[in-house]
Amino acid sequence: MAKPEVGKDEKFDEFYTEVKEIEKRDSVLTPKQQIERLLRPGSTYRNLNPFEVLQVEHDTPLEDIKKKYRRLSILVHPDKNPDDADRAQQAFEAVNKAWKTLESEETRKKCLDIIEEAVGRTDMMLAEKRKKAKKDGKNGIPEDDPAKYKHAIYVLTMKLFADMERKRRELAERDQEERKRKRESEIEEEENAKAQKEWQKNFEESRQNRVESWQNFQANTKSKAKKSSKKIKMFRPPKNKPESR
């Protein structure tokens, strides 16, 4: 037996109860704070990192990431923020995009590769920095502090995500230009084929006129030749008179 359909009021009550539970469990995740975080200056580049958008570590299990996504999507949903619906919609879209990126195994691996590269490059850079500091007689570097070390990785990670996005756009632009060029070439070929077809049609339609004109020309030529021949035959040269002595 099918379950009775849940009414709109019941769905709203469930939604409202879930939101309240989320806000109670984690007071930091308030709608206003999350919208401000997701749309703050520089968010265009920060939001390229889906882990940053969803506020999870790169090694967080996918199931836990999904739970975080659901909480955030509810908090910033436009229906939950009617007084700031436009900005809420932008934040909601950023959250959805981040989840779709991490939900896909292929795109999630690309993101993890970027973070791994950022860690590796940061470690190499700091190793050189420590070597220089030791040579200068200094004891350690600021990035020895875990918080500053994490920030260094964060900055480089954001740069690498920005580089990846720039390359993606360049490839998309090149692809668009190539498709545009190909389409223009196809249109030119279609126009040439159309012109050739039209010329062939006109050529066939005028063929009979050309044949008739040639036949008339030949008939007129023969007629003129015949008349000329008759005139030549009718001509009689004068007879020579005998010479008298």
Side-chain angles (χ1 to χ4, degrees), residues 121-147:
R121 288 173 60 175
T122 299
D123 288 344
M124 290 177 61
M125 178 185 68
L126 296 183
E128 290 296 323
K129 194 173 181 179
R130 288 190 185 93
K131 187 184 295 185
K132 186 177 183 302
K134 186 177 181 180
K135 186 177 180 180
D136 294 340
K138 297 179 181 178
N139 186 20
I141 58 176
E143 288 80 7
D144 289 333
D145 182 306

Side-chain angles (χ1 to χ4, degrees), residues 220-232:
N220 291 336
T221 302
K222 289 179 180 179
S223 177
K224 290 178 180 179
K226 189 175 181 181
K227 290 179 180 180
S228 176
S229 177
K230 287 181 179 180
K231 288 180 180 180
I232 293 173

Side-chain angles (χ1 to χ4, degrees), residues 75-199:
L75 288 172
V76 301
H77 197 283
D79 292 345
K80 180 68 172 61
N81 302 274
D83 295 337
D84 197 9
D86 291 341
R87 283 164 50 81
Q89 180 64 36
Q90 295 178 49
F92 182 74
E93 290 173 358
V95 170
N96 274 339
K97 182 180 179 181
W99 166 244
K100 288 180 180 178
T101 300
L102 296 181
E103 184 183 26
S104 166
E105 184 176 352
E106 181 182 355
T107 50
R108 184 171 70 254
K109 184 180 184 307
K110 288 181 180 179
C111 294
L112 290 172
D113 288 344
I114 287 177
I115 293 175
E116 183 179 352
E117 181 182 353
V119 172
R121 288 173 60 175
T122 299
D123 288 344
M124 290 177 61
M125 178 185 68
L126 296 183
E128 290 296 323
K129 194 173 181 179
R130 288 190 185 93
K131 187 184 295 185
K132 186 177 183 302
K134 186 177 181 180
K135 186 177 180 180
D136 294 340
K138 297 179 181 178
N139 186 20
I141 58 176
E143 288 80 7
D144 289 333
D145 182 306
K148 292 182 179 180
Y149 171 69
K150 186 175 181 180
H151 180 71
I153 294 174
Y154 166 80
V155 171
L156 184 54
T157 298
M158 188 169 67
K159 180 182 182 302
L160 293 177
F161 269 106
D163 290 344
M164 182 180 70
E165 176 64 12
R166 187 183 67 255
K167 291 178 182 178
R168 185 195 67 78
R169 291 182 180 180
E170 289 174 353
L171 288 173
E173 289 176 1
R174 283 204 294 267
D175 181 64
Q176 185 177 3
E177 286 296 324
E178 178 61 22
R179 284 188 282 110
K180 181 181 178 182
R181 186 198 62 74
K182 185 177 179 181
R183 182 53 187 157
E184 289 175 347
S185 178
E186 289 175 350
I187 291 174
E188 184 178 358
E189 290 178 2
E190 290 172 0
E191 290 178 346
N192 289 339
K194 184 179 179 182
Q196 180 66 22
K197 186 177 180 181
E198 186 68 23
W199 182 89

Side-chain angles (χ1 to χ4, degrees), residues 47-65:
N47 291 349
L48 293 174
N49 183 350
F51 297 104
E52 170 72 12
V53 173
L54 299 180
Q55 293 184 306
V56 294
E57 296 296 332
H58 66 278
D59 56 353
T60 303
L62 187 61
E63 189 60 33
D64 291 339
I65 295 177

Side-chain angles (χ1 to χ4, degrees), residues 14-32:
E14 290 177 4
F15 170 79
Y16 183 77
T17 301
E18 185 175 359
V19 171
K20 285 300 179 184
E21 287 178 353
I22 291 172
E23 291 180 349
K24 183 179 180 180
R25 182 169 61 249
D26 195 343
S27 60
V28 174
L29 299 179
T30 62
K32 183 178 179 180

